[in-house]
């Protein structure tokens, strides 16, 4: 499997991608032709009819891999060509299944000759997905996707000149997206930030590095105001006030190349790797920390909780790559393996509170998306979805790249049973409304705190709306009483309207 970081540095064309993952990831349509053709048609129907309602079709009602044919109400077919009429009748009478607890939603591709899509990040509220669509010749374009509007292209930084753009991360509410744009496809990239669809360049560092390949914006804080990334072997932090600035290197390692891979949601902690120094963690105002997982030759942090207190990442050993969890009190903890005890793991993202992590498991039979929590250990995402009632037909979930704040929605890319080589997806582990993991009380009595679609909103009190302290959205007698009490020196609310 190729991570978003490898892909951004040139391992992106389908020729090289196929060579990397092997021929199993693009199985020929002629194998199991009848099953794949039918499943592809069913997925097309699902995209056409279910998306407005968020209700998938049950492919298994029509398709049985064990029988090598199709079944509906006792009617079995053995050949797509010979019995297509019966199959179409079955499809026409197949009704959507209501109340599914889990489902897989394909993202699809942009129009214009794109052949695959890769989903890299999902907003904390679970509403917005970002990534890129790929075409031949290392050409591709960044996209934004929502269940309501579908897939939409993000504008080029230099229209008519840019050949490649990738969207790597999105703010909590989906309004700010960061990534990179390139005029040559694979190299000489420019870190970019889209706000409400408008792109701007973030500049570059270390431009005198002869081995540099431009700048990449890997992650963004929840409010969209702080961006971190990598520019010509130099990790960076960007804000509108300071512009692009290098992150500090650990003491005793001057000139070390550091990569800022992720930032905590509250913007206080930057994590990544400093090569020989190991995993990297820096909180503004403090000295940066760096250390290896015991016995590892390379250690990198790729995910961090909202408050910066729980880190996840990967470390290399002679026999492969494993994943870890780290906290200030407990230090490093290996995440283990799936039951077959084979292959390597690669962590990509974690939930807001750090209780859940997603990534890719490299098994003997190919790559698989996984989910980890302390209570369950490593689990296959496919198993979780099917146990929850999802019908996946012939989909192979290769990668899980991001998870929503409360852990109920996961994105990545999969082997499409239809004509596409890869299709980005959103896995809905539950149809329950998005909740806010840690509540929404920000400790500020001058705001009304509410949870909307899994995202906390802190609305300033209306002018004159003093009581109760957070404001109740109405200016009434309670507010007058609060004001009178304030005049007497017995303020019931510290807010100043």
């Amino acid at each position: 499997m190729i991570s978003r970081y490898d892909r951004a540095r040139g391992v992106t064309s389908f020729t090289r991608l196929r060579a990397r993952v092997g021929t199993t990831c693009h199985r020929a349509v002629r194998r199991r032709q009848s099953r794949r053709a039918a499943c592809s048609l069913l997925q097309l129907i699902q995209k056409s009819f279910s998306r407005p309602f968020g209700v998938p079709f049950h492919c298994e009602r029509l398709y049985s891999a064990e029988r090598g044919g199709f079944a509906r109400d006792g009617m079995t077919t053995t050949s797509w060509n010979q019995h297509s009429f019966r199959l179409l009748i079955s499809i026409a009478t197949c009704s959507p299944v209501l109340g599914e607890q889990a489902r897989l939603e394909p993202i699809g591709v942009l129009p214009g000759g794109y052949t695959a899509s890769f989903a890299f990040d999902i907003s904390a509220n679970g509403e917005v997905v970002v990534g890129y669509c790929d075409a031949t010749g290392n050409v591709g374009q960044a996209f934004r996707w929502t269940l309501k509007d579908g897939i939409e292209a993000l504008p080029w930084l230099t229209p008519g000149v840019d050949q490649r753009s990738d969207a790597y991360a999105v703010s909590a509410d989906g309004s700010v997206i960061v990534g990179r744009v390139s005029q040559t496809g694979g190299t000489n990239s420019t870190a970019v930030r889209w706000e409400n669809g408008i792109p701007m360049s973030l500049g570059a560092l270390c431009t005198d590095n002869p081995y540099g390949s431009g700048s990449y914006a890997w992650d963004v804080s929840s409010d969209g105001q702080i961006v971190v990334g990598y520019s010509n072997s130099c990790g960076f932090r960007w804000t509108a006030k300071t512009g692009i600035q290098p992150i500090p290197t650990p003491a005793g390692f001057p000139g070390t190349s550091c990569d800022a891979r992720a930032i905590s949601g509250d913007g206080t902690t930057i994590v990544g790797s400093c090569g020989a120094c190991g995993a990297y963690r820096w909180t503004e105002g403090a000295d940066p920390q760096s250390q290896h997982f015991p016995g590892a030759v390379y250690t990198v942090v790729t995910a961090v909780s909202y408050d910066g207190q729980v880190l996840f990442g990967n470390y290399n050993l002679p026999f492969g790559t494993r994943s870890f969890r780290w906290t200030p009190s407990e230090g490093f903890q290996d995440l283990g393996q799936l039951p077959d005890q084979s292959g390597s793991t690669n962590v990509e993202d974690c939930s807001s509170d750090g209780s859940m992590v997603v990534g890719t498991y490299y098994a003997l039979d190919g790559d698989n998306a996984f989910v980890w929590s302390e209570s369950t250990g490593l689990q296959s995402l496919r198993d979780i979805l099917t146990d929850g009632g999802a019908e996946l037909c012939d989909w192979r979930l290769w990668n899980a790249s991001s998870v929503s704040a409360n852990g109920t929605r996961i994105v990545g890319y999969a082997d499409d049973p239809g004509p596409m080589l890869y299709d980005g997806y959103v896995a809905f582990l539950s149809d329950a409304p998005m909740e806010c993991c840690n509540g929404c009380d920000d400790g500020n009595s001058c705001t009304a705190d509410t949870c909307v679609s899994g995202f906390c909103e802190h609305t300033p009190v209306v002018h004159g709306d003093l009581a109760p302290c957070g404001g109740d959205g109405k200016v009434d007698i309670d507010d007058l009483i609060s004001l009178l009490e304030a005049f007497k020196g017995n303020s019931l609310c510290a807010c100043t309207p």
Side-chain angles (χ1 to χ4, degrees):
M1 199 280 295
I2 301 173
S3 72
R4 74 184 76 177
Y5 312 107
D6 292 331
R7 184 176 295 110
R9 291 174 179 150
V11 188
T12 50
S13 70
F14 270 109
T15 300
R16 297 178 68 183
L17 188 60
R18 287 170 177 164
R20 181 81 172 265
V21 301
T23 58
T24 58
C25 70
H26 56 97
R27 294 165 292 177
V29 174
R30 63 177 175 270
R31 284 193 292 170
R32 297 175 295 171
Q33 179 179 3
S34 59
R35 284 191 289 157
R36 298 198 61 150
C39 206
S40 177
L41 181 57
L42 287 172
Q43 296 295 343
L44 178 61
I45 290 174
Q46 176 182 332
K47 292 180 182 180
S48 299
F49 291 100
S50 72
R51 182 159 290 163
F53 311 103
V55 180
F57 279 94
H58 259 296
C59 293
E60 294 299 330
R61 287 187 173 183
L62 301 178
Y63 159 52
S64 171
E66 290 74 22
R67 288 191 292 270
F70 305 89
R72 169 74 173 178
D73 298 331
M75 179 175 64
T76 302
T77 67
T78 57
S79 166
W80 168 262
N81 295 325
Q82 294 177 4
H83 300 278
S84 58
F85 177 75
R86 290 185 180 180
L87 178 62
L88 290 174
I89 292 297
S90 299
I91 292 173
T93 60
C94 181
S95 59
V97 180
L98 300 176
E100 289 279 15
Q101 291 187 338
R103 71 183 193 273
L104 190 77
E105 185 75 28
I107 286 176
V109 294
L110 294 168
Y114 293 104
T115 56
S117 61
F118 300 86
F120 289 148
D121 197 22
I122 186 170
S123 57
N125 64 8
E127 300 295 325
V128 181
V129 178
V130 299
Y132 95 104
C133 286
D134 196 271
T136 57
N138 204 19
V139 176
Q141 188 166 6
F143 70 77
R144 178 185 188 271
W145 179 95
T146 64
L147 190 63
K148 176 183 177 182
D149 299 324
I151 190 168
E152 301 174 311
L154 291 175
W156 297 108
L157 186 62
T158 310
V161 178
D162 297 330
Q163 295 185 19
R164 171 70 180 268
S165 61
D166 300 74
Y168 297 128
V170 59
S171 63
D173 64 358
S175 63
V176 175
I177 299 169
V178 300
R180 64 103 175 207
V181 170
S182 173
Q183 296 179 2
T184 59
T187 59
N188 299 319
S189 296
T190 300
V192 64
R193 177 180 182 269
W194 290 269
E195 184 167 7
N196 296 319
I198 301 174
M200 68 170 292
S201 170
L202 302 185
L205 293 174
C206 306
T207 54
D208 58 345
N209 186 339
Y211 304 104
S213 57
S215 56
Y216 304 80
W218 294 138
D219 202 9
V220 61
S221 58
S222 288
D223 62 6
Q225 300 306 303
I226 307 174
V227 181
V228 297
Y230 183 82
S231 178
N232 299 306
S233 301
C234 299
F236 73 78
R237 176 184 186 271
W238 177 96
T239 68
K241 181 179 180 180
T242 65
I244 189 169
Q245 298 288 327
I247 58 173
T249 56
F253 295 90
T256 300
S257 174
C258 297
D259 188 356
R261 291 287 187 94
I263 185 171
S264 58
D266 63 7
T268 62
T269 304
I270 296 174
V271 298
S273 176
C274 280
C277 303
Y280 178 87
R281 178 175 182 260
W282 174 57
T283 300
E284 190 173 13
D287 294 330
Q289 300 174 332
S290 187
Q291 64 183 116
H292 279 294
F293 189 96
V297 295
Y298 176 76
T299 310
V300 58
V301 181
T302 55
V304 55
S305 62
Y306 180 88
D307 62 4
Q309 294 302 300
V310 185
L311 312 184
F312 292 92
N314 308 296
Y315 65 97
N316 286 358
L317 294 174
F319 54 82
T321 301
R322 298 283 290 271
S323 300
F324 67 83
R325 176 182 183 266
W326 180 93
T327 65
S329 59
E330 299 176 355
F332 287 103
Q333 171 193 354
D334 184 271
L335 297 190
Q337 294 180 295
L338 287 174
D340 65 5
Q341 295 293 307
S342 65
S344 299
T345 55
N346 184 73
V347 160
E348 297 229 23
D349 195 20
C350 66
S351 59
S352 177
D353 62 358
S355 64
M356 177 180 174
V357 66
V358 298
T360 303
Y361 186 84
Y362 312 106
L364 294 176
D365 63 343
D367 301 347
N368 297 275
F370 77 77
V371 177
W372 177 93
S373 70
E374 279 197 282
S375 60
T376 65
L378 253 66
Q379 292 180 290
S380 163
L381 175 57
R382 183 182 180 88
D383 290 346
I384 294 174
L385 288 171
T386 54
D387 289 347
E391 297 290 355
L392 300 183
C393 290
D394 212 15
W395 286 82
R396 175 65 177 269
L397 308 183
W398 292 98
N399 157 274
S401 58
S402 184
V403 60
S404 59
N406 69 353
T408 61
R409 300 179 186 182
I410 297 171
V411 300
Y413 59 87
D415 183 7
D416 190 325
M420 292 170 53
L421 179 57
Y422 291 110
D423 195 348
Y425 68 81
V426 184
F428 294 80
L429 303 190
S430 170
D431 274 342
M434 293 285 289
E435 298 178 353
C436 299
C437 302
N438 302 315
C440 291
D441 185 2
D442 62 356
N444 183 356
S445 61
C446 298
T447 59
D449 306 318
T450 57
C451 178
V452 180
S453 298
F455 175 66
C456 290
E457 292 188 354
H458 308 288
T459 306
V461 295
V462 178
H463 183 75
D465 185 19
L466 302 178
C469 281
D472 59 5
K474 298 179 292 183
V475 179
D476 51 26
I477 188 63
D478 292 329
D479 303 307
L480 177 59
I481 293 173
S482 294
L483 185 60
L484 293 176
E485 289 294 325
F487 274 114
K488 292 190 296 182
N490 300 321
S491 177
L492 299 180
C493 183
C495 298
T496 301

